[in-house]
Amino acid sequence: MFDTLEPSSLPPEDEALRSRVRALAAAATAARPADVRARSWQGFDADFSRKLGAAGLLGLTLPKAYGGGERGPFARFVVVEELLSAGAPVAAHWIADRQSAPLILNYGTEAQRQFYLPRICRGELFFCIGMSEPGSGSDLASVRTRAERTAGGWRVNGQKIWTTGAMHCDYMIALLRTSGSAEDRHAGLSQLIIDLKAPGITIRPIVDLTGDAHFCEIFFEDVDLPADALIGAEGEGWKQVTAELAFERSGPERIYSSVVLLDAWARHLQHIGRDDPAVRALVGDFTARLATLRAMSIACTARLAAGESPVVEASLVKDLGTAFEQHLPVAIGDDLAAHPDEPVSDELYRTLTYVTHVAPSFSLRGGTREILRGIIARGMGLR
Amino acid sequence: MTDFLDPFERMIAALFSPAAVRAAERGEPDDRAWSELAASGFLDALVPEDAGGAGVSFADIVPLWLVLGRHAVPCPVGETMIARALLAQAGRAAPDGPIAIAAQAPGAAGRVIGAALGRHLLVEWEGNLYLAAVPGEADGGDRELAASVRWDSEAATPVGPIVPGGLRRAAAVLRAALIAGAADRLTTMTAGYANVRIQFGKPIGKQQALQQQLAVMAEDMVAARIAAHIGGAGSFPPALAAAATAKSVASGAAARVAAIAHAVHGAIGISEEYDLQLYTRRLQAWRLADGSESYWNRLLGAERLAAPSGSVDFVRTALAPA
Ligand SMILES: Cc1cc2nc3c(=O)[nH]c(=O)nc-3n(C[C@H](O)[C@H](O)[C@H](O)COP(=O)(O)OP(=O)(O)OC[C@H]3O[C@@H](n4cnc5c(N)ncnc54)[C@H](O)[C@@H]3O)c2cc1C
């Protein structure tokens, strides 16, 4: 079962990107303590994203004609892996590079491609994802925010929530109801590219439990958009979103959220010289799981590279990956506190605290555990 | 890569039907099955071509071992493949018949999987391999086909040196692949059962609680399989980190997979006449054989802690897929 997930390896030409990314990431993170690096996903640094763009490390999966690297998902895997394991600030370009650009390439008009893609590749245009609403989280098909046709284009009314990075972004790709009602479920949904500077839009950051503000609520009051705001076909929003989620769920980002903490802890053990059988077993367990998850994520990336949309496989890797990411702070906290007489640096303690508090979000963002398991069950022929 | 995989699976399915597996467990193995296997040449799959074998790469052997797990093969087929490869590496002719493998001191008793059906034991001790005779009898009613084995260094034939730990590492990758294969079969059986067993007027597989458990089972199964492939990705016998990763992840998955398979099946899964137990009992045995997850985790952790690199660099350089 699930034989499509086969071991695969990173092509040498993509591996060759590693040293370039590593140098840039090292420069960007040199002055940042581990608890700041642990905020890799939340670290908004437009300068750094532009540097990545200038180095040709964004839009790697896009054709050269649009400023891309004309490589493939494996190249992106290498770049993302390096950025996340260094704890580099990726928030600015993160979503545009991962989701919006492939979506625009696949479904956009030629004019849309030419306008957005080169700017994304240069690290100049930042995107956010407008799927969730106060009443629609797991049940995405129930979105109520509407876009109505006007003489010149579309008028949007409603509200989005939990939109990561919206306060810094240029555009949102929103899933909206363009016909029918929430009862029509998958029919009547469309995706629109919304210029976040358009009149009628209010963006309010939401502070999270760690004190950070990285996601937002967004209100749309008679927001007028041009006709070419529609991306893809009207009414095809559900299909497009499903394909987009395969990009969102399969990458190495679903394994590495706690890796800065893992490394900080390993350095602590090495520094203090604690190397008993119990801690060896714990380190070994983490290492074996990390190696296996990485191989699974590469296997999933190979499906993307083959032009497939591995929705079920990506769900499988994401659920297992986020369970690992969430297990790390629990087990590392237990280990450190099991040795109360051992000095722990403030930096390591703050990193542990941050990752512990934010860890519940790992299995929420991008689709909850229960929803992913439902998708896997469907893939097993149970639904 | 695997033009030989389908013929191998067909042969194994024909030779080791559930009825044949049960017969072997009753102490009535089918000798013709072994002769057919030997005649097929697959026992020498890992032996280099210039030594008369098939010269299949280690990475391509792992899928064959998955097949053995999928069919709950009771004889030490994978063990014999390993033994014949190591004997060939040492320039030695292999004896006929099943060979069990173990790493243990002379004189000490150790439980060895497959020893009940093996005529010979290839054993590693202090960096050297020895070929010994085994009693060839199951000892106990647990139907694991494991036997408590002692070997005598005076009576054994010295074979030659081996990378220290190499035999146990090879065995660990074999067990990981067997676990992954059995887990694959169990996942298919269990999802299939959930679709036909009706309670409260609908298939139990329509219950979300069971769907969630089955999804977890599938995740564990796939992880075990990918880990087994990591075990086979490098040299033979494998490096410590590769073997440890394979066995740690597969052993960790084994008990959970068996538990969910039984939970979903309800009482029928416990009964002897239903095939489920052929696979779940082996999962549990293979989990413990040649080092459990904690054993391998300790070794892997020591190697990781001795490395100056970060975690991702460590797994990337020591444990990348083939
Ligand atoms: C850090 C973070 C960043 C995010 N960024 C974005 C973003 O950029 N853009 C965006 O659009 N959204 C974003 N989200 C929102 C995220 O996608 C949703 O939180 C998620 O889909 C769950 O929706 P919900 O929070 O409304 O929970 P609910 O859907 O209300 O779910 C609550 C609980 O009920 C369970 N549940 C719901 N339905 C079922 C069912 N049918 N069967 C079983 N269990 C069920 C869920 O699994 C969960 O455990 C972000 C979330 C987080 C935490």
Side-chain angles (χ1 to χ4, degrees):
Chain A
M1 198 180 269
F2 298 125
D3 293 340
T4 47
L5 219 45
E6 285 181 335
S8 184
S9 53
L10 299 170
E13 64 272 21
D14 295 329
E15 270 293 341
L17 289 170
R18 197 176 287 281
S19 54
R20 220 177 339 141
V21 201
R22 184 167 292 203
L24 280 172
T29 53
R32 297 176 193 229
D35 56 312
V36 176
R37 284 186 282 114
R39 289 165 160 83
S40 192
W41 283 57
Q42 270 86 270
F44 191 97
D45 184 339
D47 266 358
F48 177 63
S49 294
R50 271 193 294 273
K51 278 185 196 151
L52 288 174
L57 296 170
L58 297 183
L60 282 160
T61 60
L62 303 186
K64 288 217 169 83
Y66 304 115
E70 210 159 295
R71 308 185 68 145
F74 287 125
R76 192 178 167 272
F77 185 100
V78 170
V79 172
V80 168
E81 174 164 84
E82 282 299 317
L83 294 176
L84 294 182
S85 50
V90 298
H93 66 270
W94 192 230
I95 286 163
D97 180 63
R98 175 177 75 197
Q99 284 169 254
S100 317
L103 183 81
I104 293 169
L105 179 73
N106 289 339
Y107 300 108
T109 61
E110 192 49 37
Q112 286 171 333
R113 292 170 173 184
Q114 291 194 5
F115 180 78
Y116 295 107
L117 297 181
R119 291 173 172 84
I120 291 178
C121 294
R122 290 198 298 267
E124 292 172 5
L125 272 196
F126 305 132
F127 278 73
C128 58
I129 308 162
M131 295 188 191
S132 305
E133 296 182 6
S136 305
S138 303
D139 184 12
L140 209 46
S142 70
V143 295
R144 287 170 185 277
T145 300
R146 297 191 78 90
E148 270 155 1
R149 278 211 190 263
T150 58
W154 303 91
R155 179 165 298 162
V156 179
N157 276 289
Q159 183 191 351
K160 291 289 171 182
I161 196 168
W162 314 127
T163 319
T164 298
M167 69 290 233
H168 303 297
C169 283
D170 304 290
Y171 294 93
M172 166 191 281
I173 296 187
L175 181 68
L176 302 173
R177 186 153 287 287
T178 45
S179 66
S181 67
E183 284 65 50
D184 294 333
R185 308 291 303 170
H186 301 163
L189 296 174
S190 306
Q191 284 187 295
L192 272 79
I193 307 181
I194 302 181
D195 181 346
L196 291 174
K197 285 181 289 297
I201 297 181
T202 311
I203 300 178
R204 281 203 209 120
I206 303 169
V207 176
D208 77 10
L209 77 177
T210 71
D212 294 348
H214 48 87
F215 48 27
C216 304
E217 54 184 342
I218 307 186
F219 302 89
F220 303 96
E221 271 175 274
D222 290 334
V223 177
D224 282 314
L225 302 175
D228 64 2
L230 180 72
I231 167 108
E234 189 185 339
E236 291 292 293
W238 182 257
K239 198 186 103 213
Q240 294 175 200
V241 155
T242 310
E244 182 184 343
L245 287 169
F247 288 102
E248 176 166 358
R249 289 172 179 160
S250 61
E253 52 263 52
R254 304 305 176 175
I255 305 172
Y256 291 153
S257 304
S258 304
V259 81
V260 170
L261 170 65
L262 175 60
D263 281 346
W265 174 68
R267 271 194 309 279
H268 163 83
L269 293 173
Q270 288 165 335
H271 174 73
I272 213 138
R274 178 154 59 80
D275 187 12
D276 54 76
V279 82
R280 284 181 184 180
L282 195 56
V283 172
D285 174 46
F286 293 162
T287 307
R289 285 165 72 182
L290 182 64
T292 304
L293 283 164
R294 178 175 186 269
M296 291 174 75
S297 178
I298 291 176
C300 210
T301 305
R303 303 326 305 163
L304 286 177
E308 295 166 20
S309 182
V311 178
V312 178
E313 293 87 341
S315 304
L316 205 139
V317 177
K318 184 189 177 247
D319 190 37
L320 211 54
T322 55
F324 171 69
E325 295 179 327
Q326 290 178 332
H327 174 64
L328 284 175
V330 176
I332 290 174
D334 179 46
D335 172 77
L336 291 173
H339 299 84
D341 301 322
E342 186 178 282
V344 170
S345 73
D346 286 348
E347 185 181 345
L348 174 55
Y349 187 76
R350 277 200 307 270
T351 311
L352 171 66
T353 308
Y354 169 74
V355 177
T356 303
H357 295 329
V358 80
S361 72
F362 301 164
S363 63
L364 299 176
R365 59 187 187 193
T368 68
R369 169 165 298 142
E370 291 72 25
I371 296 304
L372 296 177
R373 290 182 182 171
I375 293 170
I376 299 167
R378 177 168 294 127
M380 298 174 80
L382 295 162
R383 304 173 61 198
Chain B
M1 125 189 170
T2 47
D3 5 345
F4 48 82
L5 194 56
D6 285 347
F8 184 72
E9 176 129 33
R10 274 197 301 276
M11 177 180 70
I12 292 295
L15 294 180
F16 298 101
S17 65
V21 173
R22 284 190 175 79
E25 290 185 343
R26 283 194 306 267
E28 305 152 14
D30 177 357
D31 287 337
R32 272 178 333 168
W34 191 264
S35 328
E36 228 178 283
L37 262 172
S40 75
F42 275 107
L43 295 176
D44 284 327
L46 258 175
V47 173
E49 274 174 289
D50 54 22
V56 176
S57 75
F58 190 22
D60 285 346
I61 286 293
V62 169
L64 298 181
W65 291 350
L66 291 167
V67 169
L68 299 176
R70 263 204 293 282
H71 295 276
V73 169
C75 315
V77 178
E79 291 90 329
T80 304
M81 289 181 181
I82 291 173
R84 293 180 78 95
L86 291 174
L87 287 162
Q89 274 187 8
R92 299 271 174 164
D96 288 340
I99 311 175
I101 56 179
Q104 75 188 50
R111 276 199 87 69
V112 179
I113 292 248
L117 296 174
R119 305 225 185 103
H120 304 272
L121 178 73
L122 187 71
V123 62
E124 177 188 338
W125 169 240
E126 292 190 327
N128 285 296
L129 287 174
Y130 302 85
L131 194 60
V134 287
E137 252 167 54
D139 66 337
D142 59 5
R143 297 179 298 161
E144 264 176 38
L145 305 171
S148 181
V149 170
R150 239 179 260 275
W151 69 286
D152 174 358
S153 53
E154 303 294 303
T157 316
V159 171
I162 181 168
V163 214
L167 183 67
R168 183 172 283 171
R169 289 181 209 158
V173 176
L174 168 63
R175 304 296 168 219
L178 294 171
I179 287 171
D184 184 10
R185 166 59 61 94
L186 282 168
T187 309
T188 306
M189 280 182 83
T190 308
Y193 182 76
N195 271 333
V196 297
R197 171 70 174 165
I198 296 188
Q199 291 288 291
F200 301 100
K202 60 181 179 184
I204 55 171
K206 298 282 171 224
Q207 300 290 351
Q208 200 185 43
L210 287 201
Q211 291 175 357
Q212 300 268 320
Q213 292 195 55
L214 282 157
V216 171
M217 182 180 195
E219 291 171 7
D220 262 328
M221 178 272 286
V222 173
R225 190 174 70 217
I226 296 282
H229 283 297
I230 290 175
S235 54
F236 174 82
L240 184 147
T245 297
K247 190 61 163 65
S248 159
V249 170
S251 278
R256 289 190 295 269
V257 165
I260 294 175
H262 277 296
V264 172
H265 274 88
I268 187 77
I270 304 293
S271 68
E272 198 285 332
E273 70 168 28
Y274 193 78
D275 288 346
L276 190 76
Q277 50 91 11
L278 299 177
Y279 306 94
T280 55
R281 280 189 296 108
R282 283 203 170 68
L283 270 194
Q284 306 285 10
W286 290 329
R287 173 186 169 219
L288 305 184
D290 304 296
S292 66
E293 58 270 33
S294 292
Y295 171 82
W296 288 105
N297 282 339
R298 282 201 301 271
L299 294 179
L300 180 59
E303 192 158 302
R304 161 69 188 95
L305 282 173
S309 54
S311 303
V312 175
D313 275 346
F314 182 84
V315 303
R316 195 168 61 71
T317 50
L319 293 165

